[in-house]
Amino acid sequence: MKLWDKGFSIDKKIELFTVGNDREIDMHIAKYDVEASRAHAVMLESIGIITSEELEQLKSGLKVLAESIEDGTFIIEDSFEDVHSKIEHELTKTLGDVGKKIHTARSRNDQVLVALQLYYKENLEIINSKTKTFFDTLLGLAETHKTQLLPGYTHLQVAMPSSFGLWFSAYAELLIDDVYVLNAVSKIADQNPLGSAAGYGSSFPIDRDITTKELGFSTLKYNVVAAQLSRGKSERAIASALGGLCNTMARFAMDICLYMSQNFGFVTFPDELTTGSSIMPHKKNPDVFELIRGKCNKIQALHSEMLLITNNLPSGYHRDFQLLKENIINAFEDVKDILDIFNYSIQQIIVKDIDLTDEKYQYLFTVDSINNLVVEGMSFREAYQKIGSQVQAGTYKPDLGKEHSHIGSIHNLCLDDIKAKYPSKD
């Protein structure tokens, strides 16, 4: 039941080691292998390798497999190396010699490559959509809480006045940068590698434009060696893009953990969104956001892993590439879950009223006081020294009424402009 079966049995220890977790991880790409097989069959019929009747048989058999994948009854038993051998086996079992023709003019190399590209392409779109939902949620929170002030910090020292509107919309706008990168990476994934076979093409007169159109790719990887070399390169780019998005979410989650602590006390959440301690009954732990932070940081390390696996490999296929699949697919699945739970949880945030007249916040407004003196005619340096002297003497009295009117400041958030800035996929 191996696509490369030459009539002898492989050592069981070698088989166990080389197959690894492929059967489990291949469930994520099973439907894409079926889609690619259907497109490949259409192409084979167009060049006369199979008849129109055989094409209809293959399409019918692949439709049954697609339905079993969709309804969850599709299983890759231990007797199969991977999803590709399982699907060919099922076609052969049902259709006989017709099923054996499906592998004509392709290799398992371009078979897995095209299935992965289709998986990447679709799931990048899903992540893009979920990111937009998260973005909209944050802008909505920024609008709701735009008038509520929040201490701003530099070096974790009280610095200048901020607001919850500024805080929420800051992370919303950072997501735009992440989407720019996701869109760029989507273009990398949107190239058809099918037809590159083992990396050097085929002597059959295949029509790669047909499979490109059938599978909905915008273009193809023309050079067959380049198609094979894209294995690893695509994963590195994707890992970088997912890592950038996760960096934004990890930093936001860290802010939430910090702001929930009693020493800050800026936000909280309903009890049912938090956990407790086995011995301290007062605890209200932000476990969701700590796990978001941890999972996001783990995903940020993925680019280094992808780089180190593939960095100095020569051209051509190498079994090292198999090691890329599991963690890049797990990263996709994790990012989708993180976006869902973050969006679900942040909608239930409880923003607290903060008393900025509290003594620990008295120096939040020193810059505003300096600016007031400058407006009255004093040079900035003299005004800085005057307010600095008051701080040192303990005589400084803050002015809490100063408006910040410039673009992107606490009293001019430009939320509509940030919303309009969000990029389309193209």
Side-chain angles (χ1 to χ4, degrees), residues 8-39:
F8 61 85
S9 297
I10 189 172
D11 185 298
K12 292 301 179 184
K13 287 186 178 180
I14 298 298
E15 181 175 16
L16 183 63
F17 182 78
T18 55
V19 171
N21 294 327
D22 259 21
R23 283 182 287 265
E24 292 82 2
I25 208 68
D26 276 2
M27 292 299 295
H28 291 286
I29 63 170
K31 79 167 188 172
Y32 305 103
D33 192 76
V34 169
E35 289 174 13
S37 293
R38 182 189 180 282

PDB file of all heavy atoms in Angstrom, residues 8-39:
ATOM      1  N   PHE A   8       9.045  -5.421  -2.244  1.00  0.00           N
ATOM      2  CA  PHE A   8       9.705  -5.910  -1.032  1.00  0.00           C
ATOM      3  C   PHE A   8       9.200  -5.125   0.173  1.00  0.00           C
ATOM      4  O   PHE A   8       8.672  -4.023   0.039  1.00  0.00           O
ATOM      5  CB  PHE A   8      11.236  -5.803  -1.135  1.00  0.00           C
ATOM      6  CG  PHE A   8      11.752  -4.403  -1.321  1.00  0.00           C
ATOM      7  CD1 PHE A   8      11.972  -3.570  -0.226  1.00  0.00           C
ATOM      8  CD2 PHE A   8      12.009  -3.892  -2.592  1.00  0.00           C
ATOM      9  CE1 PHE A   8      12.449  -2.277  -0.397  1.00  0.00           C
ATOM     10  CE2 PHE A   8      12.474  -2.613  -2.760  1.00  0.00           C
ATOM     11  CZ  PHE A   8      12.701  -1.800  -1.661  1.00  0.00           C
ATOM     12  N   SER A   9       9.353  -5.708   1.342  1.00  0.00           N
ATOM     13  CA  SER A   9       8.878  -5.075   2.572  1.00  0.00           C
ATOM     14  C   SER A   9      10.004  -4.284   3.219  1.00  0.00           C
ATOM     15  O   SER A   9      11.144  -4.747   3.305  1.00  0.00           O
ATOM     16  CB  SER A   9       8.378  -6.141   3.555  1.00  0.00           C
ATOM     17  OG  SER A   9       7.270  -6.828   3.010  1.00  0.00           O
ATOM     18  N   ILE A  10       9.671  -3.087   3.704  1.00  0.00           N
ATOM     19  CA  ILE A  10      10.651  -2.251   4.378  1.00  0.00           C
ATOM     20  C   ILE A  10      10.744  -2.667   5.844  1.00  0.00           C
ATOM     21  O   ILE A  10       9.763  -3.146   6.442  1.00  0.00           O
ATOM     22  CB  ILE A  10      10.280  -0.752   4.250  1.00  0.00           C
ATOM     23  CG1 ILE A  10      11.413   0.145   4.765  1.00  0.00           C
ATOM     24  CG2 ILE A  10       8.984  -0.455   4.986  1.00  0.00           C
ATOM     25  CD1 ILE A  10      11.171   1.624   4.482  1.00  0.00           C
ATOM     26  N   ASP A  11      11.888  -2.512   6.423  1.00  0.00           N
ATOM     27  CA  ASP A  11      12.116  -2.776   7.842  1.00  0.00           C
ATOM     28  C   ASP A  11      11.101  -1.967   8.660  1.00  0.00           C
ATOM     29  O   ASP A  11      10.911  -0.763   8.447  1.00  0.00           O
ATOM     30  CB  ASP A  11      13.549  -2.364   8.206  1.00  0.00           C
ATOM     31  CG  ASP A  11      13.922  -2.719   9.633  1.00  0.00           C
ATOM     32  OD1 ASP A  11      13.270  -2.182  10.556  1.00  0.00           O
ATOM     33  OD2 ASP A  11      14.866  -3.506   9.825  1.00  0.00           O
ATOM     34  N   LYS A  12      10.427  -2.621   9.615  1.00  0.00           N
ATOM     35  CA  LYS A  12       9.355  -1.975  10.381  1.00  0.00           C
ATOM     36  C   LYS A  12       9.853  -0.784  11.189  1.00  0.00           C
ATOM     37  O   LYS A  12       9.147   0.217  11.350  1.00  0.00           O
ATOM     38  CB  LYS A  12       8.678  -2.985  11.297  1.00  0.00           C
ATOM     39  CG  LYS A  12       7.874  -4.054  10.559  1.00  0.00           C
ATOM     40  CD  LYS A  12       6.781  -3.414   9.714  1.00  0.00           C
ATOM     41  CE  LYS A  12       5.977  -4.461   8.953  1.00  0.00           C
ATOM     42  NZ  LYS A  12       4.976  -3.827   8.058  1.00  0.00           N
ATOM     43  N   LYS A  13      11.065  -0.865  11.716  1.00  0.00           N
ATOM     44  CA  LYS A  13      11.610   0.262  12.471  1.00  0.00           C
ATOM     45  C   LYS A  13      11.845   1.464  11.555  1.00  0.00           C
ATOM     46  O   LYS A  13      11.573   2.613  11.934  1.00  0.00           O
ATOM     47  CB  LYS A  13      12.914  -0.146  13.155  1.00  0.00           C
ATOM     48  CG  LYS A  13      12.731  -1.077  14.336  1.00  0.00           C
ATOM     49  CD  LYS A  13      14.056  -1.325  15.045  1.00  0.00           C
ATOM     50  CE  LYS A  13      13.862  -2.229  16.263  1.00  0.00           C
ATOM     51  NZ  LYS A  13      15.130  -2.482  16.977  1.00  0.00           N
ATOM     52  N   ILE A  14      12.341   1.180  10.357  1.00  0.00           N
ATOM     53  CA  ILE A  14      12.567   2.250   9.387  1.00  0.00           C
ATOM     54  C   ILE A  14      11.236   2.864   8.967  1.00  0.00           C
ATOM     55  O   ILE A  14      11.090   4.090   8.871  1.00  0.00           O
ATOM     56  CB  ILE A  14      13.316   1.711   8.151  1.00  0.00           C
ATOM     57  CG1 ILE A  14      14.700   1.163   8.558  1.00  0.00           C
ATOM     58  CG2 ILE A  14      13.437   2.785   7.076  1.00  0.00           C
ATOM     59  CD1 ILE A  14      15.621   2.198   9.151  1.00  0.00           C
ATOM     60  N   GLU A  15      10.245   2.023   8.747  1.00  0.00           N
ATOM     61  CA  GLU A  15       8.933   2.508   8.341  1.00  0.00           C
ATOM     62  C   GLU A  15       8.315   3.409   9.405  1.00  0.00           C
ATOM     63  O   GLU A  15       7.791   4.486   9.119  1.00  0.00           O
ATOM     64  CB  GLU A  15       8.001   1.336   8.040  1.00  0.00           C
ATOM     65  CG  GLU A  15       6.622   1.770   7.591  1.00  0.00           C
ATOM     66  CD  GLU A  15       5.746   0.605   7.174  1.00  0.00           C
ATOM     67  OE1 GLU A  15       6.077  -0.550   7.505  1.00  0.00           O
ATOM     68  OE2 GLU A  15       4.718   0.867   6.526  1.00  0.00           O
ATOM     69  N   LEU A  16       8.387   2.980  10.657  1.00  0.00           N
ATOM     70  CA  LEU A  16       7.825   3.762  11.759  1.00  0.00           C
ATOM     71  C   LEU A  16       8.495   5.125  11.854  1.00  0.00           C
ATOM     72  O   LEU A  16       7.834   6.142  12.056  1.00  0.00           O
ATOM     73  CB  LEU A  16       7.997   2.989  13.074  1.00  0.00           C
ATOM     74  CG  LEU A  16       7.389   3.638  14.321  1.00  0.00           C
ATOM     75  CD1 LEU A  16       5.876   3.748  14.192  1.00  0.00           C
ATOM     76  CD2 LEU A  16       7.753   2.839  15.573  1.00  0.00           C
ATOM     77  N   PHE A  17       9.808   5.134  11.690  1.00  0.00           N
ATOM     78  CA  PHE A  17      10.557   6.386  11.810  1.00  0.00           C
ATOM     79  C   PHE A  17      10.264   7.326  10.646  1.00  0.00           C
ATOM     80  O   PHE A  17      10.100   8.536  10.831  1.00  0.00           O
ATOM     81  CB  PHE A  17      12.060   6.092  11.884  1.00  0.00           C
ATOM     82  CG  PHE A  17      12.905   7.323  12.060  1.00  0.00           C
ATOM     83  CD1 PHE A  17      13.023   7.934  13.302  1.00  0.00           C
ATOM     84  CD2 PHE A  17      13.586   7.887  10.981  1.00  0.00           C
ATOM     85  CE1 PHE A  17      13.798   9.070  13.472  1.00  0.00           C
ATOM     86  CE2 PHE A  17      14.362   9.024  11.140  1.00  0.00           C
ATOM     87  CZ  PHE A  17      14.473   9.616  12.395  1.00  0.00           C
ATOM     88  N   THR A  18      10.200   6.778   9.431  1.00  0.00           N
ATOM     89  CA  THR A  18      10.031   7.636   8.257  1.00  0.00           C
ATOM     90  C   THR A  18       8.611   8.141   8.078  1.00  0.00           C
ATOM     91  O   THR A  18       8.404   9.239   7.556  1.00  0.00           O
ATOM     92  CB  THR A  18      10.477   6.897   6.971  1.00  0.00           C
ATOM     93  OG1 THR A  18       9.754   5.668   6.868  1.00  0.00           O
ATOM     94  CG2 THR A  18      11.974   6.620   6.996  1.00  0.00           C
ATOM     95  N   VAL A  19       7.625   7.372   8.492  1.00  0.00           N
ATOM     96  CA  VAL A  19       6.238   7.828   8.369  1.00  0.00           C
ATOM     97  C   VAL A  19       5.921   8.905   9.391  1.00  0.00           C
ATOM     98  O   VAL A  19       5.243   9.894   9.098  1.00  0.00           O
ATOM     99  CB  VAL A  19       5.262   6.633   8.505  1.00  0.00           C
ATOM    100  CG1 VAL A  19       3.817   7.136   8.611  1.00  0.00           C
ATOM    101  CG2 VAL A  19       5.407   5.690   7.317  1.00  0.00           C
ATOM    102  N   GLY A  20       6.437   8.750  10.615  1.00  0.00           N
ATOM    103  CA  GLY A  20       6.205   9.751  11.649  1.00  0.00           C
ATOM    104  C   GLY A  20       4.730   9.966  11.921  1.00  0.00           C
ATOM    105  O   GLY A  20       3.958   9.010  12.030  1.00  0.00           O
ATOM    106  N   ASN A  21       4.313  11.240  11.996  1.00  0.00           N
ATOM    107  CA  ASN A  21       2.918  11.583  12.271  1.00  0.00           C
ATOM    108  C   ASN A  21       2.141  11.925  11.009  1.00  0.00           C
ATOM    109  O   ASN A  21       1.102  12.592  11.067  1.00  0.00           O
ATOM    110  CB  ASN A  21       2.852  12.777  13.233  1.00  0.00           C
ATOM    111  CG  ASN A  21       3.397  12.446  14.603  1.00  0.00           C
ATOM    112  OD1 ASN A  21       3.274  11.314  15.066  1.00  0.00           O
ATOM    113  ND2 ASN A  21       4.007  13.418  15.248  1.00  0.00           N
ATOM    114  N   ASP A  22       2.660  11.490   9.863  1.00  0.00           N
ATOM    115  CA  ASP A  22       2.040  11.896   8.601  1.00  0.00           C
ATOM    116  C   ASP A  22       0.564  11.533   8.511  1.00  0.00           C
ATOM    117  O   ASP A  22      -0.243  12.316   7.992  1.00  0.00           O
ATOM    118  CB  ASP A  22       2.793  11.268   7.427  1.00  0.00           C
ATOM    119  CG  ASP A  22       3.734  12.275   6.766  1.00  0.00           C
ATOM    120  OD1 ASP A  22       4.075  13.257   7.438  1.00  0.00           O
ATOM    121  OD2 ASP A  22       4.103  12.077   5.605  1.00  0.00           O
ATOM    122  N   ARG A  23       0.187  10.361   8.975  1.00  0.00           N
ATOM    123  CA  ARG A  23      -1.210   9.957   8.848  1.00  0.00           C
ATOM    124  C   ARG A  23      -2.134  10.923   9.573  1.00  0.00           C
ATOM    125  O   ARG A  23      -3.207  11.283   9.068  1.00  0.00           O
ATOM    126  CB  ARG A  23      -1.404   8.530   9.378  1.00  0.00           C
ATOM    127  CG  ARG A  23      -0.915   7.448   8.412  1.00  0.00           C
ATOM    128  CD  ARG A  23      -1.178   6.068   8.962  1.00  0.00           C
ATOM    129  NE  ARG A  23      -0.263   5.750  10.059  1.00  0.00           N
ATOM    130  CZ  ARG A  23       0.884   5.083   9.913  1.00  0.00           C
ATOM    131  NH1 ARG A  23       1.251   4.668   8.716  1.00  0.00           N
ATOM    132  NH2 ARG A  23       1.654   4.827  10.949  1.00  0.00           N
ATOM    133  N   GLU A  24      -1.734  11.344  10.768  1.00  0.00           N
ATOM    134  CA  GLU A  24      -2.575  12.251  11.549  1.00  0.00           C
ATOM    135  C   GLU A  24      -2.610  13.644  10.924  1.00  0.00           C
ATOM    136  O   GLU A  24      -3.674  14.243  10.756  1.00  0.00           O
ATOM    137  CB  GLU A  24      -2.060  12.341  12.991  1.00  0.00           C
ATOM    138  CG  GLU A  24      -2.217  11.070  13.805  1.00  0.00           C
ATOM    139  CD  GLU A  24      -1.110  10.051  13.544  1.00  0.00           C
ATOM    140  OE1 GLU A  24      -0.179  10.350  12.753  1.00  0.00           O
ATOM    141  OE2 GLU A  24      -1.178   8.956  14.119  1.00  0.00           O
ATOM    142  N   ILE A  25      -1.440  14.147  10.553  1.00  0.00           N
ATOM    143  CA  ILE A  25      -1.387  15.519  10.044  1.00  0.00           C
ATOM    144  C   ILE A  25      -1.985  15.617   8.645  1.00  0.00           C
ATOM    145  O   ILE A  25      -2.518  16.657   8.243  1.00  0.00           O
ATOM    146  CB  ILE A  25       0.069  16.048  10.076  1.00  0.00           C
ATOM    147  CG1 ILE A  25       0.086  17.575  10.221  1.00  0.00           C
ATOM    148  CG2 ILE A  25       0.878  15.615   8.885  1.00  0.00           C
ATOM    149  CD1 ILE A  25      -0.396  18.083  11.546  1.00  0.00           C
ATOM    150  N   ASP A  26      -1.933  14.502   7.883  1.00  0.00           N
ATOM    151  CA  ASP A  26      -2.467  14.515   6.523  1.00  0.00           C
ATOM    152  C   ASP A  26      -3.981  14.655   6.477  1.00  0.00           C
ATOM    153  O   ASP A  26      -4.541  14.986   5.417  1.00  0.00           O
ATOM    154  CB  ASP A  26      -2.057  13.245   5.779  1.00  0.00           C
ATOM    155  CG  ASP A  26      -0.666  13.356   5.157  1.00  0.00           C
ATOM    156  OD1 ASP A  26      -0.019  14.407   5.348  1.00  0.00           O
ATOM    157  OD2 ASP A  26      -0.229  12.395   4.501  1.00  0.00           O
ATOM    158  N   MET A  27      -4.667  14.409   7.596  1.00  0.00           N
ATOM    159  CA  MET A  27      -6.115  14.617   7.613  1.00  0.00           C
ATOM    160  C   MET A  27      -6.458  16.069   7.299  1.00  0.00           C
ATOM    161  O   MET A  27      -7.536  16.360   6.767  1.00  0.00           O
ATOM    162  CB  MET A  27      -6.693  14.211   8.964  1.00  0.00           C
ATOM    163  CG  MET A  27      -6.636  12.711   9.242  1.00  0.00           C
ATOM    164  SD  MET A  27      -7.562  11.718   8.037  1.00  0.00           S
ATOM    165  CE  MET A  27      -9.229  12.270   8.357  1.00  0.00           C
ATOM    166  N   HIS A  28      -5.551  16.983   7.614  1.00  0.00           N
ATOM    167  CA  HIS A  28      -5.795  18.399   7.330  1.00  0.00           C
ATOM    168  C   HIS A  28      -5.712  18.706   5.835  1.00  0.00           C
ATOM    169  O   HIS A  28      -6.272  19.715   5.383  1.00  0.00           O
ATOM    170  CB  HIS A  28      -4.788  19.275   8.082  1.00  0.00           C
ATOM    171  CG  HIS A  28      -4.977  19.286   9.565  1.00  0.00           C
ATOM    172  ND1 HIS A  28      -6.001  19.962  10.179  1.00  0.00           N
ATOM    173  CD2 HIS A  28      -4.272  18.696  10.564  1.00  0.00           C
ATOM    174  CE1 HIS A  28      -5.921  19.799  11.495  1.00  0.00           C
ATOM    175  NE2 HIS A  28      -4.886  19.031  11.749  1.00  0.00           N
ATOM    176  N   ILE A  29      -4.987  17.896   5.079  1.00  0.00           N
ATOM    177  CA  ILE A  29      -4.821  18.190   3.653  1.00  0.00           C
ATOM    178  C   ILE A  29      -5.546  17.183   2.763  1.00  0.00           C
ATOM    179  O   ILE A  29      -5.422  17.235   1.539  1.00  0.00           O
ATOM    180  CB  ILE A  29      -3.333  18.277   3.258  1.00  0.00           C
ATOM    181  CG1 ILE A  29      -2.623  16.933   3.481  1.00  0.00           C
ATOM    182  CG2 ILE A  29      -2.637  19.408   3.992  1.00  0.00           C
ATOM    183  CD1 ILE A  29      -1.216  16.886   2.885  1.00  0.00           C
ATOM    184  N   ALA A  30      -6.311  16.278   3.369  1.00  0.00           N
ATOM    185  CA  ALA A  30      -6.979  15.228   2.593  1.00  0.00           C
ATOM    186  C   ALA A  30      -7.899  15.810   1.525  1.00  0.00           C
ATOM    187  O   ALA A  30      -7.881  15.385   0.364  1.00  0.00           O
ATOM    188  CB  ALA A  30      -7.762  14.310   3.528  1.00  0.00           C
ATOM    189  N   LYS A  31      -8.717  16.789   1.892  1.00  0.00           N
ATOM    190  CA  LYS A  31      -9.676  17.314   0.913  1.00  0.00           C
ATOM    191  C   LYS A  31      -8.970  18.019  -0.238  1.00  0.00           C
ATOM    192  O   LYS A  31      -9.450  18.010  -1.373  1.00  0.00           O
ATOM    193  CB  LYS A  31     -10.684  18.242   1.585  1.00  0.00           C
ATOM    194  CG  LYS A  31     -10.213  19.644   1.892  1.00  0.00           C
ATOM    195  CD  LYS A  31     -11.412  20.538   2.251  1.00  0.00           C
ATOM    196  CE  LYS A  31     -11.020  21.989   2.367  1.00  0.00           C
ATOM    197  NZ  LYS A  31     -12.179  22.882   2.519  1.00  0.00           N
ATOM    198  N   TYR A  32      -7.808  18.602   0.052  1.00  0.00           N
ATOM    199  CA  TYR A  32      -7.066  19.304  -0.992  1.00  0.00           C
ATOM    200  C   TYR A  32      -6.393  18.310  -1.940  1.00  0.00           C
ATOM    201  O   TYR A  32      -6.256  18.588  -3.140  1.00  0.00           O
ATOM    202  CB  TYR A  32      -6.032  20.240  -0.361  1.00  0.00           C
ATOM    203  CG  TYR A  32      -6.658  21.202   0.614  1.00  0.00           C
ATOM    204  CD1 TYR A  32      -6.551  21.006   1.989  1.00  0.00           C
ATOM    205  CD2 TYR A  32      -7.387  22.300   0.164  1.00  0.00           C
ATOM    206  CE1 TYR A  32      -7.149  21.866   2.886  1.00  0.00           C
ATOM    207  CE2 TYR A  32      -7.984  23.182   1.063  1.00  0.00           C
ATOM    208  CZ  TYR A  32      -7.871  22.948   2.419  1.00  0.00           C
ATOM    209  OH  TYR A  32      -8.471  23.807   3.302  1.00  0.00           O
ATOM    210  N   ASP A  33      -5.999  17.146  -1.411  1.00  0.00           N
ATOM    211  CA  ASP A  33      -5.435  16.117  -2.280  1.00  0.00           C
ATOM    212  C   ASP A  33      -6.503  15.593  -3.236  1.00  0.00           C
ATOM    213  O   ASP A  33      -6.225  15.326  -4.412  1.00  0.00           O
ATOM    214  CB  ASP A  33      -4.860  14.967  -1.449  1.00  0.00           C
ATOM    215  CG  ASP A  33      -4.020  14.020  -2.284  1.00  0.00           C
ATOM    216  OD1 ASP A  33      -2.875  14.394  -2.612  1.00  0.00           O
ATOM    217  OD2 ASP A  33      -4.507  12.926  -2.608  1.00  0.00           O
ATOM    218  N   VAL A  34      -7.726  15.472  -2.739  1.00  0.00           N
ATOM    219  CA  VAL A  34      -8.831  15.051  -3.596  1.00  0.00           C
ATOM    220  C   VAL A  34      -9.098  16.101  -4.678  1.00  0.00           C
ATOM    221  O   VAL A  34      -9.283  15.769  -5.856  1.00  0.00           O
ATOM    222  CB  VAL A  34     -10.101  14.798  -2.759  1.00  0.00           C
ATOM    223  CG1 VAL A  34     -11.319  14.613  -3.652  1.00  0.00           C
ATOM    224  CG2 VAL A  34      -9.906  13.576  -1.870  1.00  0.00           C
ATOM    225  N   GLU A  35      -9.111  17.381  -4.290  1.00  0.00           N
ATOM    226  CA  GLU A  35      -9.335  18.459  -5.259  1.00  0.00           C
ATOM    227  C   GLU A  35      -8.265  18.445  -6.349  1.00  0.00           C
ATOM    228  O   GLU A  35      -8.558  18.586  -7.541  1.00  0.00           O
ATOM    229  CB  GLU A  35      -9.331  19.812  -4.552  1.00  0.00           C
ATOM    230  CG  GLU A  35     -10.539  20.067  -3.668  1.00  0.00           C
ATOM    231  CD  GLU A  35     -10.408  21.364  -2.887  1.00  0.00           C
ATOM    232  OE1 GLU A  35      -9.514  22.177  -3.219  1.00  0.00           O
ATOM    233  OE2 GLU A  35     -11.187  21.562  -1.934  1.00  0.00           O
ATOM    234  N   ALA A  36      -7.021  18.291  -5.927  1.00  0.00           N
ATOM    235  CA  ALA A  36      -5.913  18.291  -6.878  1.00  0.00           C
ATOM    236  C   ALA A  36      -5.966  17.056  -7.783  1.00  0.00           C
ATOM    237  O   ALA A  36      -5.637  17.132  -8.973  1.00  0.00           O
ATOM    238  CB  ALA A  36      -4.587  18.355  -6.136  1.00  0.00           C
ATOM    239  N   SER A  37      -6.376  15.930  -7.224  1.00  0.00           N
ATOM    240  CA  SER A  37      -6.494  14.706  -8.025  1.00  0.00           C
ATOM    241  C   SER A  37      -7.580  14.864  -9.091  1.00  0.00           C
ATOM    242  O   SER A  37      -7.429  14.405 -10.230  1.00  0.00           O
ATOM    243  CB  SER A  37      -6.813  13.512  -7.113  1.00  0.00           C
ATOM    244  OG  SER A  37      -5.714  13.225  -6.263  1.00  0.00           O
ATOM    245  N   ARG A  38      -8.659  15.501  -8.718  1.00  0.00           N
ATOM    246  CA  ARG A  38      -9.732  15.742  -9.692  1.00  0.00           C
ATOM    247  C   ARG A  38      -9.223  16.630 -10.830  1.00  0.00           C
ATOM    248  O   ARG A  38      -9.467  16.343 -12.012  1.00  0.00           O
ATOM    249  CB  ARG A  38     -10.929  16.405  -9.010  1.00  0.00           C
ATOM    250  CG  ARG A  38     -12.104  16.640  -9.947  1.00  0.00           C
ATOM    251  CD  ARG A  38     -13.190  17.494  -9.302  1.00  0.00           C
ATOM    252  NE  ARG A  38     -14.302  17.707 -10.210  1.00  0.00           N
ATOM    253  CZ  ARG A  38     -14.303  18.570 -11.220  1.00  0.00           C
ATOM    254  NH1 ARG A  38     -13.227  19.325 -11.452  1.00  0.00           N
ATOM    255  NH2 ARG A  38     -15.355  18.694 -12.009  1.00  0.00           N
ATOM    256  N   ALA A  39      -8.533  17.723 -10.479  1.00  0.00           N
ATOM    257  CA  ALA A  39      -7.990  18.624 -11.510  1.00  0.00           C
ATOM    258  C   ALA A  39      -6.984  17.897 -12.392  1.00  0.00           C
ATOM    259  O   ALA A  39      -6.947  18.095 -13.619  1.00  0.00           O
ATOM    260  CB  ALA A  39      -7.335  19.835 -10.842  1.00  0.00           C
TER     261      ALA A  39
END
